[in-house]
Amino acid sequence: MGFRLKGAVPAALGFLGAQATPNWHGCVDHKAASLPYCDTTLSVEKRLDDLMSRLSLEEKIQQITPDASLGGTCTTFTTGKAEIGLPPWLWLVETNTGVDAACPAENHCVTNFMGPMGMAASFNRTSWHLKGYVMGTEQRALSNIGASRFHPDHKNPVCLTAFGPNINIVRDPRFGRNSELASEDPFLSGTYAVHMVSGMQQRDENGYKKTAAYLKHYTAYSTEANRGHDTYNISTYDFFDTYLAQYKLAFSAQPTGVMCSYNAENGRPSCANDFILNELRSWNPDAHVTTDCGAVGNLKGPPVNAPDDVHAAAMALMNGTDLEMGDTFFTSLSKAIDLGLATKERLEEAVRRSFKVHFEVGRFDPANATAWAQYGLSEVNHTFHQKISYEAALQGLVLLKNNGVLPIGDGANIAVVGPHSVSRSGLFSDYAAGSHCFDGTDACVPTIAEGIAAASHGKVISAMGVEINSTKTDAIPAALDAVRKSELVVLALGDDKSIETEGKDRVDTALPGLQEVFAKKVLAEGKPTVIVLVSGGPMAIDALLETATDAPAAVVQAFYPSHKGAQALGMALMGKENRWGKLPITMYPHSYIAEQPMTNYDMSATPGRTYKYYQGEPLFHFGYGLSLTTFQLNCFKAKVPQTGRFLFKCQLRNTGKLDGEEVVQLYHSAVDIGKVDHPLPKRALRDFKRIAVPAGKTVDVDFTGTLDVLGLINKQGQEQIYPGEHAIILSRGHVEDEQKFVINVQGEERIII
């Protein structure tokens, strides 16, 4: 699997004394103790019946509407009912990259992971599951010890509803929230979510979920400008091939629900879109839907222009949303029911769904009924969790170019320059946990220069040279002087949350500010130079690659490498670790943004989007990535006794001198299936395996499955196998030893259910 942690994941890693009653646990008040909804001998459905019977219509509405008197409505506190011992609940705990909570104690700030794009670059299911395991464990521990979200003041208690992962596709390189996303490929994104969710929602022997995971942002959320009032034309084909596919796959792990997105599809806002929400409930009838912050209020504007609060609330509820976040428009639901705009039955369904989530995490059972009650402070940033994060960072770095300068020899004098050479907070993606260090600073986060220095036995000098995005030139001379005194240069470039973040799309994919100018000055010094790119979305570095002279000797895409990233990068550059990943996105040339309007949601319209439809020549393509060793792939198709199944047997040989890890990818391509009335992907990822191979050794890699992998989405959104010529392509991301096998499908077209 390419993951070096040994032994089983422990049920508990240690215990410093979790408090007896976790944050806002139910059924502990003496008023509740004797009531049937707290009686664990009854079925959950009977307990729900009892709880619902004790709430008036208005009290039920309060359970799905933020209570502004308790705190911020975006955080979404819903009130309780003191008369029956029902406490309030805080719904929104962000869990995309780290549990977003205040640091509860020295050395116990939460474990942050490499940005999701870097996580996806590992192509490692085990790593994704372990990430979910860590985040679920730490969120449960934080709840147990009474921790709080933003400040250690207990005003925003960490509860057990976990919002992440975010699996919108990386549709456009300019999208401001790309750093929150895993991949441009629905299969890779969905598989990432399956394994992360399974770790987050691990169940104990009594069936209690560790946390309740919600997927974000459902769906087709990919532009920040005018979010909440925008609408995009999306064909049925693109819905089911691109915008719904990763969520459908993720629901095989049965996440608790989704947060619906701000945008509208074909004039129907996601949080009032019965089409996409009905599709969701075909995967899980109990899927719980919450709005994004303020999405109900957005319905009063374009594209639906609800005339008032009452109509906006009714639109959201009646089209499938269960819980409002960010505003209190749902307080109008009683009037909506009186006017016949909403029904009591739909309200009851939404409230029951919301309470059912709490039963699944054990909120209304004795705290010690769950195995997770033993988690305490020692689980938060446990050394085991730090190791998992470090391993993930090692496997998420992608080596894009290397003319032999890497690995760097021990004892080399290295200049580490560029704006990200000294970054600390700038190494984190959006929605990483905000508390990096207990003292409230980021001083405990190693810089890239410090990570390289720690891995090297030579002399390391660092100098910023230029800022991320400014016209200041005063620091350039000192940086160039450091370059001249060095044997080798690491040039750390990229962007940060001042360029791309929630609420702000990029206008350009080139390096911002004076970085390109500075990079050319560094390269002109003639020293072997390794460019390290730290960014959320892909950067267009054509101008630095296309030069006939003064080209970089090596290029590494580090995404946002997080707390352990500098250490991992230092070890990787020195060749002390050789664990590289593959690109989970396409790196487009700079010209792409002039050719492709950002508001075009048609995936195949010229010049096309993602590796599946892009018609141009990328700077670096999806699935590509080098190693410090070399590999050779040889495959053949084996006979299998069962009709409709396949088996491909491959031998992956490490032909170099270093142990290494490689990712073998399986793609489907329709070669000749006749004329169809919908787009056809150039190829589509169907499976992958990450393999560790010792130097000079050969490892067997098998891929087996059914011919359903030949399925294509048709115009009606159904998955269909067409008769004709298909190909299975096995690849390391390198054309020189890619293996292609033709499969002829006979007979009539077949719909895959």
Side-chain angles (χ1 to χ4, degrees), residues 624-684:
Y624 175 79
L626 301 171
S627 173
L628 299 182
T629 189
T630 52
F631 295 95
Q632 183 67 44
L633 181 68
N634 289 291
C635 303
F636 65 93
K637 184 181 177 183
K639 290 185 177 180
V640 291
Q642 297 155 288
T643 303
R645 295 193 64 82
F646 67 81
L647 171 62
F648 291 98
K649 299 184 77 68
C650 299
Q651 291 185 326
L652 179 64
R653 181 167 179 78
N654 184 337
T655 56
K657 297 180 179 179
L658 292 176
D659 295 348
E661 296 177 7
E662 184 59 298
V663 177
V664 183
Q665 304 148 48
L666 185 149
Y667 295 89
H668 164 240
S669 177
V671 179
D672 184 4
I673 58 171
K675 187 176 181 180
V676 295
D677 59 357
H678 58 81
L680 284 177
K682 294 161 64 177
R683 61 172 62 187

Side-chain angles (χ1 to χ4, degrees), residues 50 244 253 290-291 444 451 468 484 515 554 578 586 610 647 718 728:
D50 179 72
L244 294 175
T290 80
T291 75
C444 67
I468 292 289
R484 295 182 191 113
Q515 290 188 68
N578 189 30
T586 299
T610 78
L647 171 62
Q718 300 166 308
I728 294 293

Side-chain angles (χ1 to χ4, degrees), residues 91 160-161 209 212 214 256 286 288 352-363:
W91 284 89
L160 297 173
T161 36
K209 291 180 180 178
Y214 290 76
T256 298
D286 289 327
H288 189 230
R352 285 182 75 93
R353 246 186 217 131
S354 302
F355 276 132
K356 191 169 185 179
V357 174
H358 298 167
F359 279 100
E360 289 177 340
V361 295
R363 186 192 180 200

Side-chain angles (χ1 to χ4, degrees), residues 634-640 642 644-651 666 701-707 709-710 726-728 730 739-745:
N634 289 291
C635 303
F636 65 93
K637 184 181 177 183
K639 290 185 177 180
V640 291
Q642 297 155 288
R645 295 193 64 82
F646 67 81
L647 171 62
F648 291 98
K649 299 184 77 68
C650 299
Q651 291 185 326
L666 185 149
V701 186
D702 292 350
F703 289 93
T704 185
T706 71
L707 294 185
V709 299
L710 306 182
H726 298 256
I728 294 293
L730 291 153
Q739 318 277 295
K740 185 175 181 179
F741 300 88
V742 173
I743 297 176
N744 286 297
V745 176

Side-chain angles (χ1 to χ4, degrees), residues 232-481:
Y232 303 107
N233 295 325
I234 299 175
S235 67
T236 300
Y237 173 83
D238 279 334
F239 257 126
F240 286 90
D241 184 65
T242 297
Y243 298 111
L244 294 175
Q246 70 274 41
Y247 292 96
K248 180 180 180 180
L249 177 54
F251 260 85
S252 65
Q254 292 298 292
T256 298
V258 299
M259 174 186 279
C260 51
S261 57
Y262 285 124
N263 55 287
E265 304 86 13
N266 303 326
R268 303 159 83 177
S270 296
C271 294
N273 189 327
D274 61 338
F275 168 67
I276 65 168
L277 297 182
N278 283 336
E279 185 65 27
L280 173 79
R281 291 190 172 117
S282 72
W283 310 328
N284 178 5
D286 289 327
H288 189 230
V289 176
T290 80
T291 75
D292 206 336
C293 181
V296 177
N298 290 344
L299 298 177
K300 293 173 67 176
V304 293
N305 297 300
D308 52 35
D309 296 4
V310 178
H311 282 78
M315 279 184 185
L317 180 75
M318 295 306 294
N319 283 292
T321 290
D322 297 312
L323 173 71
E324 179 182 17
M325 287 185 162
D327 259 318
T328 57
F329 290 93
F330 268 19
T331 56
S332 304
L333 284 174
S334 58
K335 187 172 182 180
I337 291 170
D338 290 341
L339 293 173
L341 300 171
T343 65
K344 289 183 180 179
E345 291 76 17
R346 173 66 190 109
L347 173 66
E348 291 268 334
E349 180 184 55
V351 178
R352 285 182 75 93
R353 246 186 217 131
S354 302
F355 276 132
K356 191 169 185 179
V357 174
H358 298 167
F359 279 100
E360 289 177 340
V361 295
R363 186 192 180 200
F364 296 121
D365 292 0
N368 62 6
T370 76
W372 320 127
Q374 61 192 308
Y375 289 154
L377 182 64
S378 63
E379 273 69 49
V380 182
N381 201 30
H382 190 280
T383 53
F384 180 66
H385 298 179
Q386 295 171 33
K387 176 67 172 173
I388 291 170
S389 176
Y390 172 65
E391 289 271 322
L394 283 171
Q395 297 174 54
L397 302 169
V398 181
L399 181 59
L400 300 174
K401 177 183 178 182
N402 181 25
N403 70 359
V405 68
L406 299 179
I408 301 170
D410 263 348
N413 291 334
I414 307 168
V416 186
V417 299
H420 273 304
S421 65
V422 294
S423 291
R424 297 187 194 276
S425 293
L427 302 180
F428 293 83
S429 65
D430 258 6
Y431 285 90
S435 295
H436 301 317
C437 314
F438 183 60
D439 63 4
T441 72
D442 60 5
C444 67
V445 180
T447 67
I448 287 175
E450 290 168 350
I452 292 171
S456 170
H457 293 128
K459 182 180 180 182
V460 175
I461 308 171
S462 65
M464 184 171 64
V466 295
E467 296 175 343
I468 292 289
N469 187 26
S470 81
T471 57
K472 294 179 182 178
T473 60
D474 54 296
I476 292 178
L480 293 179
D481 185 58

Side-chain angles (χ1 to χ4, degrees), residues 16-36:
L16 293 184
Q19 63 181 39
T21 305
N23 280 337
W24 284 355
H25 200 78
C27 293
V28 294
D29 188 287
H30 70 279
K31 298 171 187 173
S34 61
L35 298 179

